[in-house]
Amino acid sequence: MIKISYVRSLLAAHILICLLILSGCDNRDIFDVKYDDIKSDQILCDPPGQPHNIPSNIYVNPKNLLDTSWLMDRRYDQIGDSSSFSVFCAFYFTNVLERTGIDFKHRIVDDAGKTYKPVHYDHGNGLAVADVDSDGLHDIYFVNQIGANQLWRNLGNGQFEDITYYAGVAMDDRVSVAASFADINNDGFPDLYVTSTRFGNILFQNDGSGKFNDITQQSGLGYQGHSSASVFFDYNNDGLLDLFLTNVGQYTTDEEIYIEISEGLKDYESGKYHFYSGFPDAFTGHTKPERTEHNKLFKNLGDGVFLDVTQKSGLVDHTWSGDATILDVDQDGWLDLYVLNMQGNDKYYRNIAGLYFEENPAMFDKTPWGSMGVKVFDYDNDGSADLYVTDMHSDMYENIEPSREKFKSRVKWPDLFLMDGGKSIFGNAFYRYSGPGVFEERSDDLSLENYWPWGPSIGDLNADGYDDIFVTASMNYPFRYAANSIFLNDQGKTFRDSEFILGIEPRIGRNTATPWFVLDCSEYDFDHQDCVKGNLTDHNVVWGASGSRSSVVFDIDLDGDLDIIVSDFNGVPMVFTSNLSDETKVNYLKVGLTGIDSNTNGIGSTVKVYSGGEVYTKFMDGKSGYLSQSILPLYFGLGEFEEVEKIEIFWASGVYQTVSGPLETNRIIQIVELSD
């Protein structure tokens, strides 16, 4: 048995550096952000231009983590550029994690840490939100690799309590990847589906009180493989949510590694875990047909039972898929699928009357080569669905300096490795809908490129009527830090880099590097690459780059503006609350849907809000950040307008409904579907 002890307490006195926090050692930014929550022992600030005082038992990999001047340069550039913004940006976010009571810590398998291999274990870190106990407040579910997943109940005062054990959703016997909330039986209570690597996926049914029962065996959804995202949608318009399950190709061997953890455990955690070791050549696995693991489509038969209809539906997709999204490209009333490919071209499948799916490669002629995240939204308020896709893998094999982060990658891989016929975009893509069956790719002129991105979350962060984008980023050990991004939508004309202006970066009160593992270079780990490269002796704490995976945007504190929850890989989450409502008058409307002929939450529906001569369009798809689905009301920022003239709902069932105004704003309105 291999034993690993996760060391935390010994690090408190050695936390690395003002250079890694990068506030410039001053205590204010342009919007008077206060650093009151930073404890004196959390930062060791050396004088500018002086060598950094790194304790002798700290080893940083890669060493260019220490060169973080580019973050300060970018901060000053953004602040300078903000004077030219026509979009409102005079507000900021504050990380209030310590005030919430949430003490979740994401832990990783060795293949993403000490014995690092380029396998897909470094992907999973799901985060999903729903009101699990019907008290009107949204609760948070964090996914873990080693140790329990955790469900945190919202108490309504900025506080949360851990109800994992009560709810029965710990799942500490497997390596979890992602999570989706979905009401599979239309009883009004959000159920929960969690994917895992090799140990089987789990379906939990909500009993209505916030307790969950494991119904995996009877449901037929206990697929065992290398699963990633679960996308619930109604593909045949029968009012029940079906499931499209994405599976990455086989990246693990049959060798089991056992881990024992003794510190920082919850009462409901065993401390004994295991996982399957990854192939050393996992990232070339897509060139090996024997490692293919195709995606799955499961039809909801009712009563918590699903049937595998993959073959019948024509969705035998062999891409290395991390995620997918629904969209009705041809507006024929049947939800289509856009399927991401981590290592190759994405796929678009047209839904033919709920009977089968037909691949249409011409719809998106060129796609990102290494797609990670995806979101459908209307960025310019023209009423059409646009598509944003983030590409991470294109950054993997090039040493991209900070000055080149806003450009596409210069990829020089052999054709055998690409296997794409020359039809790849090596970076993010933004597809603007410009007419029936026509999407134009505009990521560069909209300034939507960034480095090492994972998944996007969408929301109107400044409530001006245009949806903004938050993108998680960074690849962690052994790569350099990549900043999380906020792209503020400048009235549908372009997007403005704003993460430093709004207080998301640099990580206030947090380091851009974090302890990753401990090496005993004098004995057990003498041949480890870091012991050899660093000429290390005795016990050493190896630090790697911090990095975020999943995020959810919603109004956590119910003050009318949108906040952001971020789940970090091998770290603690961040809970960013916005002070927008303190800085300006916020006009908004939240729209919740209750389906009758449609599924309960109206997944697949489109909502249009008319206010002040403007029309704002949102798509109820449940997509929230990287890999996950949440059940949240649609948030409409209304800019200066204080009244809504009408709301139109195009339900997933095909029912068209109008709610006439004038309607009071700054509240949530729950709309019940008119039944035929």
Side-chain angles (χ1 to χ4, degrees):
M1 176 179 291
I2 300 174
K3 293 186 177 182
I4 298 173
S5 179
Y6 283 73
V7 178
R8 297 179 180 83
S9 59
L10 81 91
L11 300 172
H14 302 294
I15 297 206
L16 200 63
I17 340 246
C18 203
L19 70 105
L20 298 174
I21 217 113
L22 295 173
S23 65
C25 294
D26 51 11
N27 64 353
R28 295 285 188 271
D29 73 9
I30 190 173
F31 295 121
D32 197 35
V33 178
K34 296 180 180 179
Y35 291 52
D36 297 338
D37 295 333
I38 301 176
K39 299 177 181 178
S40 60
D41 64 350
Q42 290 182 303
I43 304 174
L44 302 176
C45 236
D46 298 311
Q50 298 299 311
H52 299 292
N53 181 26
I54 303 174
S56 59
N57 71 327
I58 297 292
Y59 181 74
V60 181
N61 190 358
K63 289 186 177 181
N64 62 359
L65 271 176
L66 302 180
D67 180 17
T68 49
S69 59
W70 60 275
L71 279 172
M72 290 310 300
D73 291 341
R74 191 168 296 177
R75 176 176 182 257
Y76 294 132
D77 287 344
Q78 280 192 15
I79 291 171
D81 289 344
S82 67
S83 61
S84 66
F85 289 9
S86 55
V87 58
F88 183 78
C89 60
F91 66 104
Y92 61 85
F93 291 89
T94 302
N95 183 10
V96 299
L97 175 67
E98 291 186 2
R99 305 174 199 169
T100 67
I102 297 172
D103 61 359
F104 173 75
K105 170 68 166 68
H106 185 262
R107 302 188 188 100
I108 60 174
V109 300
D110 272 15
D111 276 7
K114 186 174 181 179
T115 59
Y116 179 79
K117 300 173 184 176
V119 298
H120 294 86
Y121 275 129
D122 53 22
H123 290 195
N125 181 192
L127 169 66
V129 171
D131 180 6
V132 303
D133 53 1
S134 304
D135 65 351
L137 301 170
H138 289 92
D139 313 297
I140 309 168
Y141 187 74
F142 295 98
V143 166
N144 220 340
Q145 286 193 350
I146 298 297
N149 305 333
Q150 292 181 17
L151 178 61
W152 287 83
R153 180 173 179 260
N154 191 337
L155 300 178
N157 56 358
Q159 301 287 308
F160 292 80
E161 65 172 342
D162 185 352
I163 61 167
T164 308
Y165 182 76
Y166 168 86
V169 293
M171 287 181 60
D172 75 332
D173 60 343
R174 64 201 67 207
V175 179
S176 295
V177 178
S180 290
F181 282 112
D183 186 0
I184 64 161
N185 56 355
N186 289 337
D187 63 355
F189 306 118
D191 308 303
L192 176 64
Y193 189 66
V194 185
T195 63
S196 79
T197 300
R198 295 289 297 269
F199 293 101
N201 306 331
I202 297 291
L203 177 63
F204 295 102
Q205 187 173 59
N206 191 334
D207 70 0
S209 69
K211 289 185 177 181
F212 292 81
N213 300 309
D214 184 345
I215 63 166
T216 309
Q217 186 173 0
Q218 68 192 65
S219 73
L221 295 184
Y223 177 80
Q224 290 185 289
H226 298 79
S227 293
S228 187
S230 49
V231 180
F232 285 90
F233 75 114
D234 184 3
Y235 83 90
N236 57 356
N237 289 353
D238 65 353
L240 296 171
L241 289 176
D242 312 296
L243 171 64
F244 182 69
L245 176 67
T246 65
N247 296 305
V248 184
Q250 298 172 20
Y251 57 87
T252 61
T253 70
D254 290 331
E255 177 191 4
E256 288 192 75
I257 307 295
Y258 292 85
I259 295 176
E260 186 171 321
I261 300 173
S262 59
E263 299 179 26
L265 296 174
K266 297 278 189 174
D267 291 341
Y268 47 80
E269 295 182 295
S270 69
K272 297 180 179 180
Y273 308 105
H274 63 288
F275 66 97
Y276 288 91
S277 177
F279 285 111
D281 62 344
F283 267 40
T284 61
H286 65 289
T287 66
K288 301 173 173 60
E290 67 274 15
R291 296 194 197 169
T292 294
E293 190 170 311
H294 63 74
N295 301 322
K296 297 277 189 179
L297 180 65
F298 294 94
K299 179 182 179 180
N300 190 338
L301 303 179
D303 297 323
V305 178
F306 290 75
L307 176 68
D308 186 344
V309 294
T310 310
Q311 297 285 342
K312 181 179 179 181
S313 68
L315 273 177
V316 184
D317 186 293
H318 295 286
T319 58
W320 283 52
S321 301
D323 207 348
T325 192
I326 55 173
L327 70 167
D328 186 3
V329 170
D330 49 9
Q331 301 179 21
D332 63 352
W334 301 94
L335 292 170
D336 311 311
L337 278 169
Y338 185 96
V339 182
L340 303 187
N341 190 354
M342 290 183 180
Q343 290 161 239
N345 281 348
D346 300 340
K347 300 290 185 69
Y348 164 67
Y349 293 95
R350 185 186 174 208
N351 186 343
I352 309 299
L355 301 173
Y356 62 95
F357 287 81
E358 183 178 78
E359 184 182 354
N360 185 350
M363 183 66 71
F364 299 91
D365 185 43
K366 287 191 174 185
T367 75
W369 181 82
S371 297
M372 303 307 299
V374 61
K375 180 65 180 176
V376 172
F377 71 110
D378 180 12
Y379 90 100
D380 55 0
N381 291 343
D382 67 351
S384 300
D386 310 301
L387 188 68
Y388 183 47
V389 183
T390 55
D391 176 319
M392 182 268 285
H393 281 180
S394 293
D395 293 335
M396 291 188 63
Y397 296 94
E398 180 186 2
N399 183 21
I400 298 176
E401 297 300 318
S403 60
R404 276 198 45 80
E405 287 189 3
K406 297 297 290 183
F407 299 91
K408 296 289 190 290
S409 297
R410 298 169 294 197
V411 178
K412 299 179 181 179
W413 296 323
D415 290 340
L416 175 65
F417 191 69
L418 296 175
M419 300 178 69
D420 59 13
K423 294 186 175 220
S424 289
I425 299 168
F426 298 106
N428 300 342
F430 190 91
Y431 299 102
R432 181 183 183 272
Y433 182 84
S434 57
V438 180
F439 286 87
E440 54 178 339
E441 204 287 295
R442 297 191 60 196
S443 60
D444 288 337
D445 61 291
L446 290 176
S447 193
L448 286 174
E449 197 62 50
N450 65 330
Y451 181 60
W452 287 109
W454 295 90
S457 288
I458 306 298
D460 189 354
L461 299 180
N462 56 3
D464 66 349
Y466 290 88
D467 275 336
D468 312 297
I469 306 173
F470 177 80
V471 182
T472 55
S474 207
M475 188 57 180
N476 312 114
Y477 173 90
F479 303 92
R480 74 170 176 87
Y481 178 75
N484 293 330
S485 297
I486 288 183
F487 300 114
L488 277 184
N489 190 337
D490 201 344
Q491 301 179 348
K493 299 186 292 288
T494 189
F495 288 85
R496 304 285 191 170
D497 297 327
S498 304
E499 59 274 4
F500 292 88
I501 299 170
L502 301 182
I504 297 294
E505 294 283 353
R507 296 186 171 208
I508 299 173
R510 305 257 344 266
N511 294 315
T512 57
T514 189
W516 217 249
F517 52 85
V518 177
L519 290 175
D520 182 0
C521 295
S522 65
E523 190 170 354
Y524 299 108
D525 304 310
F526 71 94
D527 59 346
H528 191 280
Q529 61 173 353
D530 287 331
C531 293
V532 176
K533 289 193 306 181
N535 295 315
L536 305 180
T537 59
D538 302 322
H539 287 81
N540 297 272
V541 182
V542 179
W543 286 60
S546 297
S548 306
R549 296 291 186 273
S550 296
S551 62
V552 178
V553 173
F554 72 106
D555 186 0
I556 299 170
D557 48 12
L558 302 180
D559 64 351
D561 53 36
L562 293 177
D563 313 298
I564 307 171
I565 296 180
V566 184
S567 186
D568 266 21
F569 190 76
N570 197 35
V572 299
M574 293 176 283
V575 180
F576 289 107
T577 56
S578 170
N579 78 334
L580 178 70
S581 60
D582 296 328
E583 297 296 327
T584 188
K585 187 177 187 312
V586 174
N587 299 306
Y588 70 94
L589 187 68
K590 300 175 185 176
V591 178
L593 300 180
T594 301
I596 302 299
D597 294 326
S598 304
N599 59 89
T600 302
N601 299 113
I603 301 296
S605 303
T606 299
V607 179
K608 294 180 181 289
V609 169
Y610 292 74
S611 180
E614 301 289 333
V615 184
Y616 307 104
T617 304
K618 309 282 185 185
F619 308 98
M620 181 65 83
D621 58 7
K623 292 292 293 182
S624 55
Y626 182 59
L627 299 185
S628 300
Q629 281 188 300
S630 298
I631 300 177
L632 293 164
L634 298 172
Y635 178 93
F636 293 83
L638 301 175
E640 62 185 17
F641 306 120
E642 300 179 358
E643 187 176 89
V644 168
E645 290 104 40
K646 71 172 179 177
I647 302 174
E648 291 181 333
I649 308 95
F650 302 84
W651 290 93
S653 64
V655 171
Y656 170 77
Q657 184 175 351
T658 299
V659 179
S660 298
L663 299 170
E664 181 184 350
T665 58
N666 295 354
R667 65 185 178 110
I668 184 170
I669 180 172
Q670 194 72 28
I671 300 175
V672 180
E673 181 180 11
L674 295 175
S675 179
D676 289 339

